[in-house]
Amino acid sequence: MSETVSYSIEDDIGIVRIDNPPVNALSQSVRSGLMKALEASSSDDSKALIILCEGRTFIAGADITEFGKPPLEPVLGEVLQRLDEHNKLTVAALHGTALGGGLETALCCHYRCADTSARVGLPEVKLGLLPGAGGTQRTPRLAGLETALELITSGQPMAAAKALDAGLVDHLLAAGQDLLQGAKDYTRSLLDGNAPLRRASALPIAFSEQDKATLDAARKRLQQKTRGERAPQRIIDCLEAAATRPFEEGLKLERSLFLECMSDPQSSALRHLFFAEREAAKVNGLAKDTRPLPVEQVGIIGAGTMGGGIAMCFANAGIAVTLIDNSPEGLERGLGLIARNYSTSVSRGRLSEEKSAAAQALIQGSTDYTSLANVDLVIEAVFENLELKQTVFRQLDNICKPGAILATNTSYQDVNAIAAVTNRPQQVLGLHFFSPANVMKLLEIVRADHSSDEIIATAMAVAKRIGKVPVLAGVCYGFIGNRMLRHYQREAQLCLIEGATPAQIDSAMEGWGMAMGPLAVGDLAGLDIGYKARQALSDDEKGDPKSYRVPDLLVEQGRLGQKAGKGYYQYDPETRKRSDDPAVLEVVESAARELGVERRAISAEEIVSRLTCALINEGARILEEGIAQRPGDIDAVYAYGYGFPRHRGGPMHLADTLGVKQVYKTVCHYRDTLSADNWQPSALLEALANSDDSFSGWQAQRQA
Ligand code: CAA
């Protein structure tokens, strides 16, 4: 039928096989092949038609690489309309992940069977889209409005057994049963029972007052939760139409809102991140035959919040962990914290009792470093102090087996200086987790001067196994994320002392989409952490006092942040809700007087512009220096580690959206009006602006 679709008749049943690796996406050749197969099936003497896929999965969705380009005929809507109208019984046989347009294809079949491992989902919302081929109209007709609402607005897949209960799947194959044979048997039973051609488009749908209230509540809830994302609201419009208008009208609305989503910059940003996340896992220049080393046992040094969180990541992935702490009390505290975290996950329904018990059984505590003699990987997560870390690495070098990889979870220390105290610098790298480590998806993999290709490949593979988004970084102060963050935080401090209030700064950034404003983040982390770090620096290293005088004063008054009930804000002891505190404004005003700053009104636009341009300018420097491999890697760091709004695509994508030339002009304006020291434009930013280029254009040229 086409290079990716074949059609044959076996025992009077037509079989459409799709073979479009890696995920059987609905590329043009699949769509045209399907169309031809339907034509063939309608006029031959087969009795029914089964659609199934080769390889690891049923169709995992539209081909995202075709998005944003002129449409190629036939469009999916046409093919699925033809499938919906087919004059013979149709059955979709699902395995792997039937996602997006893949599930929509299955929903156009009269019946669906699935093997026990299959999962179905409509993840378009994660790409700033909505199911654009009838998914918003057929799903509620088959599974009810509430299930459709959850499936489409969360984007989370549903296991086959649950999909069977929900009515999205009609028959579950026995465990281990062959997919083709199972589908044939099921189709035969339908034919023998004279099963009707059951079209989801023709099913009735009810809409009660209760349903209306559910949709209204979801609209409000999602407005809060997805801050500024437009696709979730459009999805609810489609679901309401599904329940209140004829099928054809609902389909028409879905089509027009899908096209609106497709041309929305939010969707380009989210699609950019989809590919950036996958690209980030690839290491430039790595020899093709580099094989990751086996990692079955991991040691973690330091049973604090970070060490405990890292231990959970590995245990959750079924990898045995030995957690080391110097003191029995510290170890007991750490293991207790881990147990509490697991019990919270169970009580919130995020984890089953069995899985929690199995994971905890994989974590052994010890105060003896020699219990690390046989581990494959050690991650050091002790206090941020170079000498201390070097002492730990000397010990590890003596104790661990020769092939073991030694990693530091440092946020700022020089990984080369740590590697240098060992006799195996080729086995040393940074694995920088983000707090809380068992939740945050980002993992910066820091390549030191002598880290071998093999251990970098191993770190990438391990990251994937434990469900992280890995990004490669070179050695510098703060690597990618924290190095940029210093500039972002500096501007937040300067906006504060120059005239804004903490609430104005945080609301500006949160209103723009950041998960949390910069000062609220400071309160959450504890203001004493930065304070202590500054104490170790010379005045020169500390930089402009305007960028740290306020937090210094707050810490000296005991305002350490949330843990003290007060920091930039005061916190309700029960609810932890923040509120403004006039005492903070007094501190800010007195610091401004002391440093000769005349306070002025600062708009939300200025706050957002200064903080984001500071990120972009430093991001460009990081690219210039080769600390990050690609602009998209920086975007992945910010989206997965720093609460940057995903629908804005990350700082470097934001620069492309705003126009690099415009960003460069803004940076120059701040250099001329605010500070020549803080706002020297990066050479790369300047070069791209002068050549009217973008970061993505620059990256494409380098790859070519
Ligand atoms: N289109 C094009 N390429 C895709 C793709 C898609 N829908 N889904 C995955 N790929 C590519 C990936 O980019 C990756 O390519 P590289 O190897 O070159 O990096 C490769 O397939 C493998 O993908 P993963 O690394 O993600 O593999 P995985 O096994 O970890 O996950 C998956 C597989 C669960 C299917 C995951 O890839 C996924 O979630 N894909 C996206 C699914 C999706 O969003 N579908 C909806 C599309 S929109 C739509 O369908 C609109 C509509 O209504 C018509």
Side-chain angles (χ1 to χ4, degrees), residues 422-434:
T422 71
N423 291 308
R424 55 175 105 183
Q426 76 286 354
Q427 295 290 105
V428 178
L429 81 172
L431 287 180
H432 183 209
F433 289 78
F434 289 73

Side-chain angles (χ1 to χ4, degrees), residues 22-23 25 56-57 60-65 67 76 97 99-102 104 119 123-124 127 129-133 258 274-275 278-279 282 464:
V23 296
R56 66 198 220 215
T57 179
D63 183 344
I64 308 172
T65 60
F67 288 0
L76 185 61
T97 40
L99 299 179
E104 290 175 299
R119 289 185 305 152
E124 287 86 343
L127 300 172
L129 298 171
L130 50 88
F258 177 79
F274 177 86
F275 290 113
R278 284 157 180 80
E279 189 75 9
K282 293 169 189 158
K464 186 147 191 187

Side-chain angles (χ1 to χ4, degrees), residues 159-179:
K162 202 164 167 213
L164 179 75
D165 289 344
L168 290 171
V169 163
D170 304 292
H171 175 74
L172 209 53
L173 270 52
Q177 193 177 3
D178 176 72
L179 184 68

